[in-house]
PDB file of all heavy atoms in Angstrom:
ATOM      1  N   GLY Z 321      11.864   0.985  -1.928  1.00 95.00           N
ATOM      2  CA  GLY Z 321      11.134   2.345  -2.070  1.00 95.00           C
ATOM      3  C   GLY Z 321       9.691   2.383  -1.688  1.00 95.00           C
ATOM      4  O   GLY Z 321       9.002   3.333  -1.903  1.00 95.00           O
ATOM      5  N   SER Z 322       9.176   1.254  -1.067  1.00 97.00           N
ATOM      6  CA  SER Z 322       7.742   1.304  -0.484  1.00 97.00           C
ATOM      7  C   SER Z 322       7.547   0.281   0.543  1.00 97.00           C
ATOM      8  O   SER Z 322       8.347  -0.660   0.673  1.00 97.00           O
ATOM      9  CB  SER Z 322       6.785   1.128  -1.648  1.00 97.00           C
ATOM     10  OG  SER Z 322       6.515  -0.192  -1.832  1.00 97.00           O
ATOM     11  N   PHE Z 323       6.440   0.493   1.197  1.00 98.00           N
ATOM     12  CA  PHE Z 323       6.037  -0.469   2.259  1.00 98.00           C
ATOM     13  C   PHE Z 323       5.780  -1.887   1.821  1.00 98.00           C
ATOM     14  O   PHE Z 323       5.620  -2.758   2.564  1.00 98.00           O
ATOM     15  CB  PHE Z 323       4.839   0.105   3.012  1.00 98.00           C
ATOM     16  CG  PHE Z 323       3.558   0.073   2.238  1.00 98.00           C
ATOM     17  CD1 PHE Z 323       2.821  -1.089   2.255  1.00 98.00           C
ATOM     18  CD2 PHE Z 323       3.248   1.085   1.332  1.00 98.00           C
ATOM     19  CE1 PHE Z 323       1.643  -1.183   1.408  1.00 98.00           C
ATOM     20  CE2 PHE Z 323       2.099   1.013   0.603  1.00 98.00           C
ATOM     21  CZ  PHE Z 323       1.337  -0.121   0.583  1.00 98.00           C
ATOM     22  N   LYS Z 324       5.623  -2.002   0.484  1.00 97.00           N
ATOM     23  CA  LYS Z 324       5.130  -3.275  -0.083  1.00 97.00           C
ATOM     24  C   LYS Z 324       6.003  -4.477   0.250  1.00 97.00           C
ATOM     25  O   LYS Z 324       5.553  -5.548   0.214  1.00 97.00           O
ATOM     26  CB  LYS Z 324       4.901  -3.161  -1.555  1.00 97.00           C
ATOM     27  CG  LYS Z 324       3.757  -2.247  -2.022  1.00 97.00           C
ATOM     28  CD  LYS Z 324       2.439  -2.974  -2.228  1.00 97.00           C
ATOM     29  CE  LYS Z 324       1.321  -2.201  -2.862  1.00 97.00           C
ATOM     30  NZ  LYS Z 324       1.358  -0.783  -3.049  1.00 97.00           N
ATOM     31  N   ASN Z 351       5.090  -0.959  -7.333  1.00 92.00           N
ATOM     32  CA  ASN Z 351       5.797  -1.260  -6.129  1.00 92.00           C
ATOM     33  C   ASN Z 351       5.683  -2.666  -5.661  1.00 92.00           C
ATOM     34  O   ASN Z 351       6.596  -3.251  -5.044  1.00 92.00           O
ATOM     35  CB  ASN Z 351       5.369  -0.311  -5.038  1.00 92.00           C
ATOM     36  CG  ASN Z 351       5.887   1.096  -5.278  1.00 92.00           C
ATOM     37  OD1 ASN Z 351       6.939   1.291  -5.883  1.00 92.00           O
ATOM     38  ND2 ASN Z 351       5.138   2.142  -4.805  1.00 92.00           N
ATOM     39  N   HIS Z 352       4.517  -3.360  -5.861  1.00 93.00           N
ATOM     40  CA  HIS Z 352       4.296  -4.642  -5.422  1.00 93.00           C
ATOM     41  C   HIS Z 352       5.211  -5.663  -6.149  1.00 93.00           C
ATOM     42  O   HIS Z 352       5.807  -6.455  -5.641  1.00 93.00           O
ATOM     43  CB  HIS Z 352       2.821  -4.954  -5.547  1.00 93.00           C
ATOM     44  CG  HIS Z 352       2.506  -6.470  -5.137  1.00 93.00           C
ATOM     45  ND1 HIS Z 352       2.664  -6.971  -3.864  1.00 93.00           N
ATOM     46  CD2 HIS Z 352       2.126  -7.587  -5.868  1.00 93.00           C
ATOM     47  CE1 HIS Z 352       2.312  -8.169  -3.792  1.00 93.00           C
ATOM     48  NE2 HIS Z 352       1.980  -8.572  -5.006  1.00 93.00           N
ATOM     49  N   PRO Z 418      -1.633  -8.446  -4.528  1.00 93.00           N
ATOM     50  CA  PRO Z 418      -1.103  -7.264  -4.003  1.00 93.00           C
ATOM     51  C   PRO Z 418      -1.730  -6.701  -2.743  1.00 93.00           C
ATOM     52  O   PRO Z 418      -1.105  -5.994  -1.959  1.00 93.00           O
ATOM     53  CB  PRO Z 418      -1.366  -6.212  -5.133  1.00 93.00           C
ATOM     54  CG  PRO Z 418      -2.380  -6.853  -5.990  1.00 93.00           C
ATOM     55  CD  PRO Z 418      -2.291  -8.351  -5.834  1.00 93.00           C
ATOM     56  N   PHE Z 419      -3.032  -7.011  -2.453  1.00 95.00           N
ATOM     57  CA  PHE Z 419      -3.566  -6.560  -1.231  1.00 95.00           C
ATOM     58  C   PHE Z 419      -4.669  -7.486  -0.521  1.00 95.00           C
ATOM     59  O   PHE Z 419      -4.685  -7.502   0.705  1.00 95.00           O
ATOM     60  CB  PHE Z 419      -4.182  -5.128  -1.416  1.00 95.00           C
ATOM     61  CG  PHE Z 419      -5.215  -5.056  -2.590  1.00 95.00           C
ATOM     62  CD1 PHE Z 419      -6.493  -5.467  -2.469  1.00 95.00           C
ATOM     63  CD2 PHE Z 419      -4.778  -4.684  -3.838  1.00 95.00           C
ATOM     64  CE1 PHE Z 419      -7.346  -5.359  -3.592  1.00 95.00           C
ATOM     65  CE2 PHE Z 419      -5.609  -4.673  -5.007  1.00 95.00           C
ATOM     66  CZ  PHE Z 419      -6.922  -4.959  -4.839  1.00 95.00           C
ATOM     67  N   GLN Z 428       1.551  -5.535   6.107  1.00 98.00           N
ATOM     68  CA  GLN Z 428       1.397  -4.046   5.993  1.00 98.00           C
ATOM     69  C   GLN Z 428       0.990  -3.454   7.350  1.00 98.00           C
ATOM     70  O   GLN Z 428       1.383  -2.369   7.699  1.00 98.00           O
ATOM     71  CB  GLN Z 428       0.306  -3.564   4.987  1.00 98.00           C
ATOM     72  CG  GLN Z 428       0.164  -4.347   3.654  1.00 98.00           C
ATOM     73  CD  GLN Z 428       1.426  -4.495   2.852  1.00 98.00           C
ATOM     74  OE1 GLN Z 428       2.583  -4.485   3.310  1.00 98.00           O
ATOM     75  NE2 GLN Z 428       1.297  -4.617   1.540  1.00 98.00           N
ATOM     76  N   PRO Z 448      -2.883   6.250   3.123  1.00 98.00           N
ATOM     77  CA  PRO Z 448      -3.309   6.143   1.723  1.00 98.00           C
ATOM     78  C   PRO Z 448      -4.107   4.918   1.454  1.00 98.00           C
ATOM     79  O   PRO Z 448      -3.903   3.900   2.034  1.00 98.00           O
ATOM     80  CB  PRO Z 448      -1.931   6.146   0.999  1.00 98.00           C
ATOM     81  CG  PRO Z 448      -0.917   6.511   1.847  1.00 98.00           C
ATOM     82  CD  PRO Z 448      -1.375   6.217   3.296  1.00 98.00           C
ATOM     83  N   LEU Z 449      -5.072   5.042   0.547  1.00 98.00           N
ATOM     84  CA  LEU Z 449      -5.966   3.918   0.240  1.00 98.00           C
ATOM     85  C   LEU Z 449      -6.181   3.706  -1.246  1.00 98.00           C
ATOM     86  O   LEU Z 449      -6.506   4.652  -1.976  1.00 98.00           O
ATOM     87  CB  LEU Z 449      -7.363   4.240   0.921  1.00 98.00           C
ATOM     88  CG  LEU Z 449      -8.506   3.296   0.537  1.00 98.00           C
ATOM     89  CD1 LEU Z 449      -8.212   1.866   0.899  1.00 98.00           C
ATOM     90  CD2 LEU Z 449      -9.721   3.752   1.286  1.00 98.00           C
ATOM     91  N   SER Z 450      -5.849   2.419  -1.624  1.00 95.00           N
ATOM     92  CA  SER Z 450      -6.180   2.060  -2.943  1.00 95.00           C
ATOM     93  C   SER Z 450      -6.866   0.686  -2.855  1.00 95.00           C
ATOM     94  O   SER Z 450      -8.082   0.644  -2.673  1.00 95.00           O
ATOM     95  CB  SER Z 450      -4.886   1.942  -3.824  1.00 95.00           C
ATOM     96  OG  SER Z 450      -5.198   1.383  -5.092  1.00 95.00           O
ATOM     97  N   GLY Z 451      -6.130  -0.431  -2.969  1.00 94.00           N
ATOM     98  CA  GLY Z 451      -6.751  -1.788  -2.785  1.00 94.00           C
ATOM     99  C   GLY Z 451      -7.100  -2.076  -1.332  1.00 94.00           C
ATOM    100  O   GLY Z 451      -8.005  -2.881  -1.046  1.00 94.00           O
ATOM    101  N   GLY Z 452      -6.423  -1.386  -0.367  1.00 97.00           N
ATOM    102  CA  GLY Z 452      -6.822  -1.350   0.999  1.00 97.00           C
ATOM    103  C   GLY Z 452      -5.985  -2.306   1.848  1.00 97.00           C
ATOM    104  O   GLY Z 452      -6.334  -2.425   3.056  1.00 97.00           O
ATOM    105  N   GLY Z 453      -4.895  -2.914   1.398  1.00 97.00           N
ATOM    106  CA  GLY Z 453      -4.157  -3.846   2.162  1.00 97.00           C
ATOM    107  C   GLY Z 453      -3.427  -3.013   3.268  1.00 97.00           C
ATOM    108  O   GLY Z 453      -3.379  -3.415   4.463  1.00 97.00           O
ATOM    109  N   LEU Z 454      -2.903  -1.838   2.898  1.00 98.00           N
ATOM    110  CA  LEU Z 454      -2.198  -1.005   3.899  1.00 98.00           C
ATOM    111  C   LEU Z 454      -3.119  -0.448   4.936  1.00 98.00           C
ATOM    112  O   LEU Z 454      -2.890  -0.621   6.151  1.00 98.00           O
ATOM    113  CB  LEU Z 454      -1.591   0.132   3.091  1.00 98.00           C
ATOM    114  CG  LEU Z 454      -0.938   1.281   3.931  1.00 98.00           C
ATOM    115  CD1 LEU Z 454       0.255   0.716   4.750  1.00 98.00           C
ATOM    116  CD2 LEU Z 454      -0.392   2.344   3.009  1.00 98.00           C
ATOM    117  N   LEU Z 455      -4.254   0.084   4.524  1.00 98.00           N
ATOM    118  CA  LEU Z 455      -5.209   0.656   5.478  1.00 98.00           C
ATOM    119  C   LEU Z 455      -5.889  -0.397   6.352  1.00 98.00           C
ATOM    120  O   LEU Z 455      -5.958  -0.207   7.576  1.00 98.00           O
ATOM    121  CB  LEU Z 455      -6.366   1.458   4.690  1.00 98.00           C
ATOM    122  CG  LEU Z 455      -7.449   2.036   5.531  1.00 98.00           C
ATOM    123  CD1 LEU Z 455      -6.931   3.088   6.591  1.00 98.00           C
ATOM    124  CD2 LEU Z 455      -8.517   2.717   4.646  1.00 98.00           C
ATOM    125  N   SER Z 503       0.395   4.856  -7.870  1.00 91.00           N
ATOM    126  CA  SER Z 503       0.290   3.675  -6.959  1.00 91.00           C
ATOM    127  C   SER Z 503      -1.100   3.432  -6.406  1.00 91.00           C
ATOM    128  O   SER Z 503      -1.406   2.401  -5.858  1.00 91.00           O
ATOM    129  CB  SER Z 503       1.369   3.795  -5.862  1.00 91.00           C
ATOM    130  OG  SER Z 503       2.573   3.721  -6.314  1.00 91.00           O
ATOM    131  N   LEU Z 504      -1.960   4.561  -6.534  1.00 93.00           N
ATOM    132  CA  LEU Z 504      -3.314   4.320  -5.887  1.00 93.00           C
ATOM    133  C   LEU Z 504      -4.336   4.104  -7.024  1.00 93.00           C
ATOM    134  O   LEU Z 504      -5.554   4.118  -6.710  1.00 93.00           O
ATOM    135  CB  LEU Z 504      -3.623   5.618  -5.154  1.00 93.00           C
ATOM    136  CG  LEU Z 504      -2.732   6.093  -3.987  1.00 93.00           C
ATOM    137  CD1 LEU Z 504      -3.309   7.214  -3.193  1.00 93.00           C
ATOM    138  CD2 LEU Z 504      -2.401   4.849  -3.154  1.00 93.00           C
ATOM    139  N   GLU Z 550       6.451   9.834  -3.459  1.00 97.00           N
ATOM    140  CA  GLU Z 550       5.604   9.694  -4.717  1.00 97.00           C
ATOM    141  C   GLU Z 550       4.255  10.254  -4.391  1.00 97.00           C
ATOM    142  O   GLU Z 550       3.851  10.481  -3.259  1.00 97.00           O
ATOM    143  CB  GLU Z 550       5.659   8.305  -5.250  1.00 97.00           C
ATOM    144  CG  GLU Z 550       5.186   7.264  -4.220  1.00 97.00           C
ATOM    145  CD  GLU Z 550       5.092   5.840  -4.828  1.00 97.00           C
ATOM    146  OE1 GLU Z 550       4.225   5.588  -5.613  1.00 97.00           O
ATOM    147  OE2 GLU Z 550       6.047   5.101  -4.499  1.00 97.00           O
ATOM    148  N   GLY Z 552       1.260   8.900  -4.497  1.00 97.00           N
ATOM    149  CA  GLY Z 552       0.477   8.057  -3.562  1.00 97.00           C
ATOM    150  C   GLY Z 552       0.844   8.241  -2.135  1.00 97.00           C
ATOM    151  O   GLY Z 552       0.070   7.987  -1.248  1.00 97.00           O
ATOM    152  N   ALA Z 553       2.090   8.609  -1.890  1.00 98.00           N
ATOM    153  CA  ALA Z 553       2.584   8.673  -0.525  1.00 98.00           C
ATOM    154  C   ALA Z 553       2.303  10.078   0.103  1.00 98.00           C
ATOM    155  O   ALA Z 553       2.433  10.250   1.319  1.00 98.00           O
ATOM    156  CB  ALA Z 553       4.100   8.425  -0.476  1.00 98.00           C
ATOM    157  N   SER Z 577       3.937   6.455   2.121  1.00 98.00           N
ATOM    158  CA  SER Z 577       4.043   5.098   1.785  1.00 98.00           C
ATOM    159  C   SER Z 577       5.170   4.681   0.707  1.00 98.00           C
ATOM    160  O   SER Z 577       5.505   3.459   0.623  1.00 98.00           O
ATOM    161  CB  SER Z 577       2.786   4.649   1.225  1.00 98.00           C
ATOM    162  OG  SER Z 577       2.171   5.564   0.253  1.00 98.00           O
ATOM    163  N   GLY Z 578       5.752   5.633  -0.005  1.00 97.00           N
ATOM    164  CA  GLY Z 578       6.734   5.261  -0.932  1.00 97.00           C
ATOM    165  C   GLY Z 578       7.387   6.309  -1.763  1.00 97.00           C
ATOM    166  O   GLY Z 578       7.073   7.498  -1.526  1.00 97.00           O
ATOM    167  N   SER Z 579       8.440   6.065  -2.401  1.00 96.00           N
ATOM    168  CA  SER Z 579       9.165   7.136  -3.046  1.00 96.00           C
ATOM    169  C   SER Z 579       9.501   6.799  -4.645  1.00 96.00           C
ATOM    170  O   SER Z 579      10.491   7.356  -5.130  1.00 96.00           O
ATOM    171  CB  SER Z 579      10.507   7.322  -2.408  1.00 96.00           C
ATOM    172  OG  SER Z 579      11.182   6.099  -2.264  1.00 96.00           O
TER     173      SER Z 579
HETATM  174  C1  PLP M  43       0.332   0.078  -3.021  1.00 61.86           C
HETATM  175  C2  PLP M  43       0.462   1.418  -2.535  1.00 61.86           C
HETATM  176  C3  PLP M  43      -0.444   2.158  -1.759  1.00 61.86           C
HETATM  177  C4  PLP M  43      -1.777   1.643  -1.540  1.00 61.86           C
HETATM  178  O1  PLP M  43      -1.795   0.409  -0.854  1.00 61.86           O
HETATM  179  P1  PLP M  43      -3.103  -0.556  -0.915  1.00 61.86           P
HETATM  180  O2  PLP M  43      -2.818  -1.686   0.003  1.00 61.86           O
HETATM  181  O3  PLP M  43      -3.311  -0.971  -2.329  1.00 61.86           O
HETATM  182  O4  PLP M  43      -4.280   0.354  -0.489  1.00 61.86           O
HETATM  183  C5  PLP M  43      -0.129   3.399  -1.325  1.00 61.86           C
HETATM  184  N1  PLP M  43       1.084   3.995  -1.596  1.00 61.86           N
HETATM  185  C6  PLP M  43       2.076   3.315  -2.245  1.00 61.86           C
HETATM  186  C7  PLP M  43       3.367   4.009  -2.459  1.00 61.86           C
HETATM  187  C8  PLP M  43       1.798   2.016  -2.763  1.00 61.86           C
HETATM  188  O5  PLP M  43       2.804   1.494  -3.419  1.00 61.86           O
END
Side-chain angles (χ1 to χ4, degrees):
S322 87
F323 70 89
K324 292 266 189 349
N351 288 331
H352 178 66
F419 51 85
Q428 322 303 30
L449 171 56
S450 175
L454 175 61
L455 177 60
S503 295
L504 303 187
E550 58 178 284
S577 48
S579 58

